[in-house]
Amino acid sequence: MHEIAAVEQALRKAAPHRLVGVVEDALRKHCDARRVELRLADYGLRTLQLVERTAGAAPAVPIHDSPQGRAFGSQEPYVTHDSDATRVHLPVTVRGDRLGVLSADLPPETDVGPLLPALGELCEALGHEILVAERDTDLYVLARRAARLTLAAEMQWQLLPGRACTRPEFALGAHLEPAYAIFGDNYDWSVSEGRLTLTVTNGMGEGIEAALLTNLAISALRNARRAGLGLADQAALADQAVYAQYRGATYVSVLLLSFDLATGEVEAVDAGSPRMWRMRGRSVESVTFDAQLPLGMFEETVYTTERFTVLPGDRLLFGSDGVYAAVSPGGESYGERALARALGGTRLLPPTHVPQAVLRELALYHGESPLEDDALVICLDWHGPVATVAV
């Protein structure tokens, strides 16, 4: 595997639906691979779905109980051996966003160790090309579906930037439930050279109406952010856009945050229901802000920013009202005490694993009946500014 540059060039030139074929050709040529497959994580992060290049449905494999799932969860290669083959499973991840797993059957006598660095580079190149190819083909989007999405969920997933993002200064992961029938909950982020902007939204209503409302709000916030407006003005512009369309009949709750990557100073605008918890050391506390009006409730609402500081080692958890307001059979809301316990109990997990772990705890807490609302969880670990070395 000394021809990575050539394989990367072949991936860039390949037709969007031919990416796995290019990788398979390279592994057959350089590693004598006998079988190569790509599986992508489904929207619910429960199974790994085969990217089908021919007709016929192959069974999915579970993320939590399979060799492929071990590679996906650990984000490390996982190798098995038997008399027929050496099977290597490699995570396919782009900037912290876990896409899936590439698996290859190699001859049983293969010494995999020396190959792993090059195979890792190949998977990274494949992941980047998948994201580009999704502009032109549905192949990889279809592979992520373990079930049919509702139209509202389709609209909401198209808005999302990804499920995770990693930079030297921070790492974050996010998850939405129910994955195949989302209504109004959503999130967005953008990272520039010196700033992370994070948006947590909860659109009023259900189904298509909620999805259309959230689409309008997210698009307006992006438009304002990309115009270079500050956080308060971003909220004000989105507020005007929603009010102009609905005249106060419906609205969007939003928590807007802007992190200075060099200092850890954070600006915040709290305009509605999404909430934040902070774990510092072993202490977990709910962080409250001055409540301001949701977007679109009244005409020309004026928004103001608040400030706080995150420290290296801090973990922040953001949840929609479908999380903290869910009640136990005894009538206690999840946000009163149980959420803090769940956050403390998951302190050793990476942020990409925390949202699902919290949502599993929520499902047990809520009891046998299904949740009545969307449930959105985002976990952000703050590492702090990157040290610069004087020359």
Side-chain angles (χ1 to χ4, degrees):
M1 288 298 297
H2 301 293
E3 305 294 334
I4 293 298
V7 179
E8 290 179 351
Q9 186 176 24
L11 283 169
R12 287 193 293 270
K13 292 181 178 180
H17 61 279
R18 274 280 302 151
L19 298 182
V20 181
V22 169
V23 172
E24 184 173 28
D25 291 344
L27 292 182
R28 287 185 184 279
K29 177 180 178 181
H30 297 287
C31 302
D32 197 22
R34 300 170 183 178
R35 183 177 63 90
V36 175
E37 67 178 29
L38 172 67
R39 291 180 179 270
L40 299 180
D42 86 298
Y43 287 112
L45 284 177
R46 295 179 179 88
T47 60
L48 290 162
Q49 307 282 129
L50 185 66
V51 175
E52 295 282 0
R53 290 171 288 153
T54 58
V61 299
I63 283 179
H64 297 293
D65 187 22
S66 67
Q68 297 93 330
R70 289 191 61 167
F72 183 83
S74 68
Q75 289 294 285
E76 295 287 343
Y78 182 69
V79 182
T80 63
H81 303 272
D82 59 33
S83 58
D84 296 325
T86 294
R87 293 183 174 89
V88 56
H89 306 285
L90 303 134
V92 179
T93 301
V94 179
R95 294 192 175 95
D97 194 5
R98 301 175 299 164
L99 302 184
V101 174
L102 182 74
S103 300
D105 284 4
L106 307 180
E109 69 277 5
T110 303
D111 182 6
V112 175
L115 299 176
L116 291 179
L119 290 172
E121 291 182 41
L122 180 60
C123 287
E124 183 177 358
L126 175 62
H128 281 277
E129 291 304 318
I130 287 171
L131 296 185
V132 175
E134 285 183 341
R135 299 180 307 176
D136 302 314
T137 179
D138 287 337
L139 178 66
Y140 308 102
V141 174
L142 290 173
R144 293 190 173 98
R145 298 166 191 237
R148 182 174 178 177
L149 272 68
T150 64
L151 178 55
E154 185 88 49
M155 296 168 67
Q156 297 287 45
W157 278 106
Q158 291 300 312
L159 276 179
L160 298 176
R163 285 186 291 211
C165 181
T166 300
R167 281 272 301 262
E169 300 89 350
F170 68 87
L172 64 84
H175 193 62
L176 272 166
E177 285 289 347
Y180 294 89
I182 312 165
F183 294 141
D185 287 2
N186 212 287
Y187 58 84
D188 192 26
W189 61 67
S190 176
V191 187
S192 63
E193 182 177 357
R195 190 162 295 275
L196 163 68
T197 301
L198 176 64
T199 307
V200 189
T201 57
N202 184 359
M204 182 180 173
E206 297 181 356
I208 298 300
E209 291 79 9
L212 288 169
L213 174 63
T214 303
N215 266 262
L216 175 61
I218 292 289
S219 297
L221 288 166
R222 287 174 175 172
N223 179 255
R225 185 185 72 226
R226 293 164 182 170
L229 301 182
L231 211 62
D233 289 334
Q234 292 175 31
L237 187 147
D239 170 70
Q240 293 170 21
V242 175
Y243 184 83
Q245 183 66 30
Y246 294 100
R247 311 305 296 179
T250 188
Y251 52 84
V252 179
S253 296
V254 61
L255 178 61
L256 276 167
L257 301 114
S258 179
F259 295 76
D260 187 319
L261 299 181
T263 65
E265 185 171 310
V266 187
E267 294 181 339
V269 173
D270 181 359
S273 60
R275 295 186 184 175
M276 185 182 94
W277 287 258
R278 176 176 58 211
M279 182 168 69
R280 181 169 288 170
R282 291 181 176 268
S283 175
V284 178
E285 62 177 338
S286 175
V287 179
T288 58
F289 304 101
D290 293 335
Q292 302 181 65
L293 293 173
L295 307 183
M297 183 171 282
F298 297 104
E299 188 173 14
E300 296 184 356
T301 303
V302 176
Y303 294 93
T304 59
T305 58
E306 299 176 69
R307 294 179 182 272
F308 67 98
T309 301
V310 286
L311 302 178
D314 280 358
R315 168 166 284 182
L316 305 181
L317 189 87
F318 308 91
S320 64
D321 56 1
V323 175
Y324 63 79
V327 296
S328 69
E332 181 182 4
S333 67
Y334 187 63
E336 288 185 36
R337 290 177 295 180
L339 192 149
R341 290 197 300 268
L343 185 55
T346 58
R347 65 184 182 277
L348 299 180
L349 294 178
T352 51
H353 290 55
V354 171
Q356 269 200 305
V358 170
L359 289 170
R360 284 194 296 269
E361 290 290 326
L362 171 62
L364 294 173
Y365 181 86
H366 185 64
E368 295 182 358
S369 60
L371 295 173
E372 298 175 357
D373 196 0
D374 292 353
L376 163 62
V377 175
I378 301 173
C379 179
L380 185 149
D381 281 2
W382 184 257
H383 306 316
V386 179
T388 56
V389 180
V391 178

